[in-house]
Amino acid sequence: MKRFSCIGILILIGGLGLYSCLTDSLFTPGGISAYLLLMVFPGAALYLLLEKHLRPVELALSATVLSPVLAGSGAVIALAFGLSARAALIVLALASITISAVSLARNVSLQDRREIDGRQAVTLAGIIFLFCVLIGYLPLSNEWWRIRSDAWFHTAVVAQIADYGVPPEDPYFYGLTLQYMWFFHALVLLLSQAIHVSAFTVMPLLNIQAIIGFSLSTLLISLLFKKHFKYGTLSMITGVLGLNAFFWVFLPIKLGRAFTGEIRGMAEVSRVLSLSPLNIKTVREFVRIHQNQEFFLDKFIVSTALSTGLCLMAAAWYGVTSSLSQKRTSMIVFAFLASVGMMAFHTIVGFVTIAGLLGGLILFQWKGFGTESADRRQALKLILVLLAGLIVLSPYLYVVLHGKESEQLLPFGISFVKIASIVISCALGFFLAAFQLKRLLAERTPEARFLLLATLSIVVVCLAIKLPALNAYDKFPFFIYFPLGVVGGWTLAELPLRSATRVRRGAVMALVLIVLFLPLNLIQMLGYFAQPVEEVVTPWEQQIAAWVRDNTSRDAVFIDSNDRVFLVAAGPRRYYWGTKQFASQWGYDKDEMTRRRRLRDNLYSDEPLTDETLHQLGGIDEEVYVIARDDEGTGGFEKLSRYPDLFQQLHSAGPITVLRVERARCREAAKGGSWQPNFTEGEDS
């Protein structure tokens, strides 16, 4: 009877979801059904197909973390074969309905192997719901939080895939294939069309799903070692809230600079300890000692692929560890898909974590360390599974990585700053995990041996490699802290609380958690909630964007001053030169980036237009437009208005003017060297 009820629910959700996928209308029940169809059902159905017994928390984990991998893989494959996003969406929705129906038709024991009881399930749901509210409230209630920071770039890439397919061209650098993982963007495109909301709205939803998956993975990997729910819960809380929670221990280092640095005295002490004005920048500076991470939840508030990458990192840890201890086929498949998804969504997270897991497995398989031969054979099988994942992804990785500068592909280097960042960010984890080290060393179980070896391997990898640009220091603490947080939670669970009653013991434990985790997370969240809304696109730029959408080709190329790129998402349109940050961070050819930046600088400088600038402008295959501004002191508008033969003024909004580049005339002018205005200063143009 229960199975027939499930099939009935599947038919209802499948019908509503397909309706949402086939139409362009915003129908909330249909949108919710389409989301479930793509982001919950595939992973759950695959788990039920592979498992003989139902483990409800593990089922929820598979639904949460494997569905994005399966849906994203389907989207990328369909787009690579030339299908439209809508066609890919319909194919994936039908596939999800089919595999879900097949899985429900099997005989599955719905009451067997439960990891937690009903009361514990309510507690778990309440804690995870709190995490979801903390990361989801601001982005889902305020548009500025959805479009701030990296969201502008990611939405531009989604638009590029929607209009041109995969692999996408970098919207910041016309003509260059994007050297950044775009698996995430294909999934965002799929969901935005399925539920009929913008990419800006889809990304916070993915962050919420990621924090759920991360929390469940942390809980379950802890329960592999400690069967009591308390251990798993405290590991989960420590894993989510504990990164950089000991920042205050290192505040004396920061205060010491007030008496040794260039600026000294109580005024500097007051500045270092100040939380005024209360905003994101202030609270970040307050907790930043030496390039350490601010706090973990930040990566689930900002719209990036990192949150999903971290979720899959935790899932890969669980899949590999569980496969060693329980030797289930479903967990081997789980580990394979989690590792593939982790690499596809975020290559840095994927490479570092897989290198660490492989290192742990190789050491385990090679030495054994007192474990049985069957465990070593299982380790060998998992090594092959992880390597197979890399082979499966090799075409995608080649597209994303092959054009990068060599120093980004073989990045080795040890630095004091990196070590300091890791030590400060992971201090609480090191402290709590140290109490469990002796016991873990004494255990002879395969999971305990692997946990130690893989953690050691991760630390070695993080110390040995060097990541490019902004990733140089801020990513490593995530990789090292995860296993420390899992083990550190056990120390909290074993605190010798001697209060007479259960209520008092609970109150004491709550007080301990407040002391450890509240200061950092409260300060950070207060700064986030107090953050005033900042202007991402000015009203004048919004008017320009509306005109551009109506009057220029989607293929048009734009150039703007001071690394302004508002049209990549507001257009959407491509830029010839985007930003200095992405030019270096994505590892593009340095000579090409220098040449493009030199063109941009020459356009907006007070110097005459050079032959190189004119030659580049004339050589661009698409229509080229220049954004000139007369409110920034760059000389752009005043200078370019003196060249009416080369730059035709088309539209103005306030201080901003759009000029079309006359490419043929630029080519002609380039033959004669630097091009001078065709009038003298003071004459009318």
Side-chain angles (χ1 to χ4, degrees):
M1 184 66 183
K2 190 175 294 185
R3 192 188 316 159
F4 289 115
S5 300
C6 292
I7 292 174
I9 294 172
L10 173 63
I11 293 172
L12 176 62
I13 293 177
L16 291 172
L18 274 176
Y19 172 80
S20 182
C21 295
L22 289 168
T23 65
D24 292 320
S25 61
L26 177 58
F27 176 55
T28 300
I32 294 173
S33 298
Y35 190 91
L36 293 173
L37 207 57
L38 295 170
M39 296 297 288
V40 176
F41 282 16
L46 180 62
Y47 177 82
L48 291 175
L49 282 175
L50 296 173
E51 267 295 327
K52 296 179 180 179
H53 305 287
L54 179 66
R55 297 169 173 83
V57 180
E58 206 170 72
L59 173 64
L61 175 65
S62 298
T64 304
V65 306
L66 297 188
S67 296
V69 178
L70 295 171
S73 300
V76 168
I77 293 171
L79 292 168
F81 278 96
L83 291 179
S84 66
R86 176 59 59 83
L89 187 59
I90 295 169
V91 170
L92 290 173
L94 290 172
S96 175
I97 293 173
T98 302
I99 191 173
S100 299
V102 171
S103 67
L104 287 174
R106 295 179 69 245
N107 286 321
V108 177
S109 175
L110 295 177
Q111 300 299 323
D112 198 27
R113 305 289 174 88
R114 292 183 179 273
E115 307 98 321
I116 57 178
D117 61 32
R119 179 178 296 179
Q120 292 168 344
V122 172
T123 302
L124 175 64
I127 295 172
I128 294 178
F129 178 74
L130 175 61
F131 293 158
C132 293
V133 171
L134 288 175
I135 68 162
Y137 177 77
L138 288 172
L140 294 178
S141 65
N142 189 309
E143 182 186 26
W144 178 78
W145 281 92
R146 293 194 293 274
I147 67 177
R148 65 180 283 268
S149 189
D150 295 339
W152 208 251
F153 163 76
H154 294 301
T155 299
V157 176
V158 171
Q160 197 69 18
I161 294 175
D163 293 331
Y164 299 102
V166 297
E169 182 182 300
D170 191 334
Y172 282 56
F173 299 99
Y174 156 77
L176 300 180
T177 301
L178 179 64
Q179 293 181 179
Y180 180 84
M181 52 274 180
W182 39 263
F183 188 97
F184 170 75
H185 306 91
L187 178 62
V188 171
L189 170 64
L190 187 80
L191 291 175
S192 66
Q193 296 202 359
I195 63 179
H196 309 297
V197 297
S198 72
F200 287 121
T201 303
V202 169
M203 289 184 280
L205 296 178
L206 290 178
N207 282 346
I208 291 173
Q209 185 150 343
I211 196 66
I212 295 172
F214 183 91
S215 301
L216 293 176
S217 296
T218 310
L219 173 86
L220 286 174
I221 195 172
S222 180
L223 292 178
L224 287 175
F225 298 86
K226 308 289 185 177
K227 302 305 181 183
H228 197 286
F229 178 70
K230 178 174 67 172
Y231 285 85
T233 304
L234 290 171
S235 290
M236 181 178 68
I237 293 172
T238 306
V240 173
L241 301 180
L243 185 69
N244 200 38
F246 260 17
F247 80 95
W248 51 268
V249 174
F250 300 92
L251 276 179
I253 297 174
K254 199 170 184 179
L255 291 173
R257 296 173 193 158
F259 302 98
T260 59
E262 294 182 5
I263 303 175
R264 304 184 182 186
M266 290 307 298
E268 178 64 7
V269 172
S270 299
R271 188 195 68 81
V272 167
L273 297 179
S274 174
L275 285 173
S276 178
L278 190 60
N279 56 37
I280 294 176
K281 182 179 179 181
T282 302
V283 296
R284 282 182 172 177
E285 286 299 320
F286 179 75
V287 304
R288 185 180 291 129
I289 310 299
H290 203 68
Q291 295 294 335
N292 51 298
Q293 268 293 335
E294 290 87 11
F295 80 133
F296 183 75
L297 292 179
D298 170 70
K299 302 309 177 186
F300 293 79
I301 297 175
V302 177
S303 294
T304 72
L306 180 58
S307 61
T308 304
L310 293 173
C311 164
L312 288 163
M313 173 195 74
W317 267 97
Y318 174 66
V320 173
T321 309
S322 178
S323 296
L324 273 177
S325 64
Q326 300 177 357
K327 301 178 180 60
R328 288 184 287 144
T329 301
S330 61
M331 284 298 99
I332 292 179
V333 174
F334 183 95
F336 172 78
L337 290 175
S339 65
V340 168
M342 174 175 54
M343 182 71 76
F345 274 101
H346 204 287
T347 53
I348 290 176
V349 175
F351 272 124
V352 174
T353 304
I354 289 177
L357 294 177
L358 280 174
L361 288 169
I362 290 170
L363 289 172
F364 182 92
Q365 200 278 332
W366 178 39
K367 289 295 186 179
F369 296 99
T371 56
E372 298 179 2
S373 58
D375 297 324
R376 296 169 69 177
R377 289 195 298 271
Q378 185 74 357
L380 178 59
K381 186 184 297 185
L382 286 166
I383 291 171
L384 297 176
V385 165
L386 294 181
L387 292 176
L390 292 176
I391 293 172
V392 167
L393 269 183
S394 57
Y396 168 78
L397 295 175
Y398 175 79
V399 171
V400 172
L401 300 175
H402 81 280
K404 287 183 178 289
E405 292 285 294
S406 58
E407 62 264 26
Q408 292 201 5
L409 296 177
L410 294 172
F412 295 101
I414 298 176
S415 73
F416 168 77
V417 176
K418 178 173 65 176
I419 295 172
S421 170
I422 292 171
V423 170
I424 296 170
S425 301
C426 302
L428 176 62
F430 283 122
F431 173 74
L432 294 177
F435 292 94
Q436 301 293 322
L437 182 59
K438 183 177 180 180
R439 186 181 306 175
L440 278 172
L441 288 170
E443 286 192 27
R444 296 291 181 176
T445 61
E447 58 267 29
R449 290 301 183 191
F450 171 72
L451 179 64
L452 287 169
L453 294 172
T455 302
L456 175 63
S457 182
I458 285 279
V459 171
V460 171
V461 169
C462 289
L463 292 178
I465 67 172
K466 178 176 63 177
L467 298 179
L470 298 179
N471 298 307
Y473 310 118
D474 72 337
K475 296 293 188 297
F476 295 110
F478 293 116
F479 311 131
I480 294 175
Y481 182 77
F482 175 74
L484 298 178
V486 171
V487 176
W490 305 344
T491 299
L492 295 179
E494 294 171 355
L495 287 177
L497 304 180
R498 303 185 184 280
S499 300
T501 66
R502 182 176 179 179
V503 173
R504 288 184 178 179
R505 289 196 299 271
V508 173
M509 176 58 72
L511 180 61
V512 170
L513 297 181
I514 288 172
V515 170
L516 288 178
F517 302 125
L518 188 62
L520 170 75
N521 292 281
L522 179 62
I523 289 171
Q524 291 292 313
M525 293 308 301
L526 286 175
Y528 277 56
F529 274 86
Q531 172 68 31
V533 172
E534 298 174 350
E535 199 170 56
V536 177
V537 180
T538 69
W540 298 125
E541 287 174 336
Q542 292 176 16
Q543 292 184 32
I544 291 293
W547 182 89
V548 165
R549 288 193 296 269
D550 294 336
N551 295 278
T552 67
S553 166
R554 176 65 176 91
D555 296 329
V557 179
F558 283 77
I559 302 171
D560 203 345
S561 61
N562 293 333
D563 284 9
R564 294 285 192 93
V565 287
F566 72 99
L567 286 173
V568 290
R573 297 294 186 269
R574 299 169 295 174
Y575 279 77
Y576 189 69
W577 164 268
T579 66
K580 178 182 177 182
Q581 174 189 338
F582 291 156
S584 62
Q585 195 165 339
W586 300 163
Y588 292 120
D589 179 75
K590 292 179 181 178
D591 292 337
E592 175 64 17
M593 292 297 99
T594 299
R595 191 173 69 92
R596 292 189 181 212
R597 187 176 183 185
R598 199 156 52 225
L599 176 146
R600 193 281 308 271
D601 291 345
N602 183 233
L603 283 175
Y604 296 101
S605 73
D606 293 328
E607 300 298 321
L609 295 177
T610 64
D611 178 69
E612 181 187 32
T613 295
L614 295 169
H615 180 75
Q616 283 188 69
L617 290 174
I620 299 175
D621 293 333
E622 307 293 349
E623 288 288 339
V624 184
Y625 298 84
V626 175
I627 304 294
R629 304 168 185 264
D630 64 1
D631 63 339
E632 294 186 345
T634 62
F637 178 78
E638 180 182 354
K639 173 181 176 176
L640 298 178
S641 63
R642 296 180 179 179
Y643 299 87
D645 293 340
L646 304 181
F647 303 95
Q648 181 183 357
Q649 295 187 24
L650 299 180
H651 180 74
S652 295
I656 307 175
T657 300
V658 180
L659 303 98
R660 183 174 62 217
V661 177
E662 301 297 334
R663 291 172 292 148
R665 291 179 180 175
C666 285
R667 287 193 293 270
E668 294 174 7
K671 299 175 183 178
S674 294
W675 183 255
Q676 299 294 337
N678 62 356
F679 59 93
T680 59
E681 188 171 355
E683 292 181 315
D684 293 333
S685 56

